[in-house]
Amino acid sequence: MQTFDTVDELHEFVEMLLHRIDQRYTIGRRAVVELLASSERPLSISDIETRVPEIPRSSAYRHLSDLQKAGVVRRIAASDEFARFEMAEDFLHHHHHLLCSSCGQVIDVTPTRAFERTVARMVDELTAAQGFRATSHALDVIGHCANCER
Amino acid sequence: MQTFDTVDELHEFVEMLLHRIDQRYTIGRRAVVELLASSERPLSISDIETRVPEIPRSSAYRHLSDLQKAGVVRRIAASDEFARFEMAEDFLHHHHHLLCSSCGQVIDVTPTRAFERTVARMVDELTAAQGFRATSHALDVIGHCANCER
DNA sequence: GTTGTAATGAGACTCATTCTCATTCTATCA
DNA sequence: TGATAGAATGAGAATGAGTCTCATTACAAC
């Protein structure tokens, strides 16, 4: 996992990942990265539109898709109909998601080491029999967030 | 978990769940349930359309949504753009999913008891701090299926 | 500065999913 | 058994998230 002391280091690393796939690190992409990196939780397109209204929708989608290809950003399918985006795990601690099935909110939670060791072992078992090569995993807990739970 | 010795018992249970929410168990819904219950893997709408062409798309969607409300069916967001459907876990063993990010295929896998005990404990820890009430969880393993892996 | 290529913005387009509404079924009760 | 009211259905229109196109703009390299 990478850690970044300064925002500049973050941007440098992103730039490197983009360069790998022959992409430039432009103003618009930088704005998206800055927003996602400073956000506590995964953001939907409309969240992004609200907070950075000067980026048009089509560009936002394109930036996210390019950043995803570069391994900077991760797309997650929530329990409601729209996708959400967050920084890839190289930029964050490995974590899982609590999905509120009432309001669609997504909350990040960090697992213990012990748990992740168990998960990794289990994933190996599960996939080996199927000839499946795992690249990542996600544990989603579905339920109701504190707000919706009353 | 329910187990069903005969198809009739399955249908009886589904009917009960539908009645709870004042819904009838009609021919169309029965056909959808029979298809999902006999399928090895989660099905997309176009899978369903192919195998039961006499059910129109709009009705299939409505049946699935009604059956989901009744707790008979579960909708899963795969890595590609379309949703897939399978019987709810009361009708199946508790299981997790391998998602192929190349072809979108979804494979069901059954975890060991030990693993699920660990998961349950972990889920409790994670959610308690957030005031989140968990109703279920899903472990998705993302990677490439045997077919796409060459 | 020029030039070739990549990135962007605006809006058209696609297509999975949902909605509408006229028609058909079905449970219930006379 | 028939009548009737409410529920379910089918066909197609509508919605809207996400993608694509293409004319314009920015940028890197010389």
Side-chain angles (χ1 to χ4, degrees):
Chain A
M1 219 227 10
Q2 305 290 324
T3 55
F4 303 97
D5 290 336
T6 66
V7 176
D8 286 349
E9 278 176 39
L10 163 76
H11 286 310
E12 241 171 67
F13 187 54
V14 171
E15 187 160 26
M16 188 269 283
L17 290 175
L18 280 167
H19 274 38
R20 264 199 205 160
I21 59 165
D22 295 310
Q23 295 284 309
R24 296 177 191 160
Y25 195 26
T26 59
I27 308 276
R29 291 171 181 175
R30 198 173 271 262
V32 170
V33 165
E34 229 148 61
L35 177 58
L36 289 180
S38 69
S39 168
E40 294 287 300
R41 57 186 74 257
L43 300 179
S44 66
I45 276 286
S46 61
D47 293 335
I48 294 173
E49 203 170 36
T50 305
R51 304 206 205 169
V52 196
E54 59 274 19
I55 300 181
R57 210 163 246 262
S58 61
S59 298
Y61 274 114
R62 188 170 25 208
H63 292 150
L64 288 165
S65 135
D66 294 340
L67 289 166
Q68 190 181 16
K69 276 181 207 139
V72 176
V73 152
R74 164 151 83 124
R75 179 191 184 131
I76 61 186
S79 53
D80 55 15
E81 80 225 65
F82 8 79
R84 276 147 215 268
F85 300 87
E86 65 182 2
M87 295 302 284
E89 291 200 335
D90 277 356
F91 294 85
L92 299 170
H93 293 280
H94 175 61
H95 64 279
H96 296 300
H97 294 127
L98 311 183
L99 310 180
C100 176
S101 54
S102 304
C103 68
Q105 194 193 171
V106 180
I107 302 169
D108 288 349
V109 287
T110 304
T112 63
R113 295 263 164 150
F115 179 74
E116 280 304 319
R117 270 197 300 274
T118 311
V119 171
R121 211 179 316 120
M122 187 60 198
V123 164
D124 285 348
E125 272 173 44
L126 289 181
T127 55
Q130 315 280 339
F132 192 96
R133 190 170 61 81
T135 55
S136 67
H137 66 263
L139 176 68
D140 292 344
V141 179
I142 296 101
H144 301 281
C145 71
N147 254 348
C148 296
E149 183 60 17
R150 333 186 190 122
Chain B
M1 215 219 24
Q2 305 289 326
T3 54
F4 302 98
D5 291 337
T6 66
V7 176
D8 285 350
E9 278 177 39
L10 164 75
H11 286 310
E12 239 171 66
F13 188 53
V14 171
E15 186 160 27
M16 187 269 283
L17 289 176
L18 281 167
H19 273 55
R20 266 199 205 160
I21 60 165
D22 294 312
Q23 295 283 310
R24 296 178 190 159
Y25 195 25
T26 60
I27 308 277
R29 291 170 179 176
R30 197 172 271 261
V32 170
V33 165
E34 230 148 61
L35 176 58
L36 289 181
S38 69
S39 168
E40 293 288 301
R41 56 186 74 257
L43 300 178
S44 66
I45 277 286
S46 61
D47 293 334
I48 294 172
E49 203 170 35
T50 304
R51 304 206 206 169
V52 195
E54 60 274 20
I55 300 180
R57 213 160 242 263
S58 61
S59 298
Y61 273 113
R62 187 170 28 210
H63 292 150
L64 289 165
S65 138
D66 294 340
L67 289 166
Q68 190 181 13
K69 277 183 207 137
V72 176
V73 153
R74 164 151 84 123
R75 178 191 185 132
I76 61 186
S79 53
D80 56 12
E81 78 226 67
F82 8 80
R84 276 145 216 271
F85 300 86
E86 65 182 2
M87 296 301 285
E89 290 200 334
D90 278 357
F91 294 85
L92 300 171
H93 292 279
H94 174 60
H95 65 280
H96 296 300
H97 293 127
L98 310 184
L99 311 180
C100 176
S101 54
S102 305
C103 69
Q105 193 193 173
V106 180
I107 302 168
D108 288 349
V109 285
T110 305
T112 63
R113 295 262 162 152
F115 178 76
E116 280 304 320
R117 270 196 301 272
T118 312
V119 171
R121 210 179 316 121
M122 186 62 198
V123 164
D124 285 349
E125 272 173 44
L126 289 181
T127 54
Q130 313 281 337
F132 191 96
R133 191 169 61 80
T135 54
S136 67
H137 66 262
L139 177 68
D140 292 344
V141 179
I142 296 102
H144 301 282
C145 71
N147 255 347
C148 296
E149 182 60 17
R150 335 183 189 122

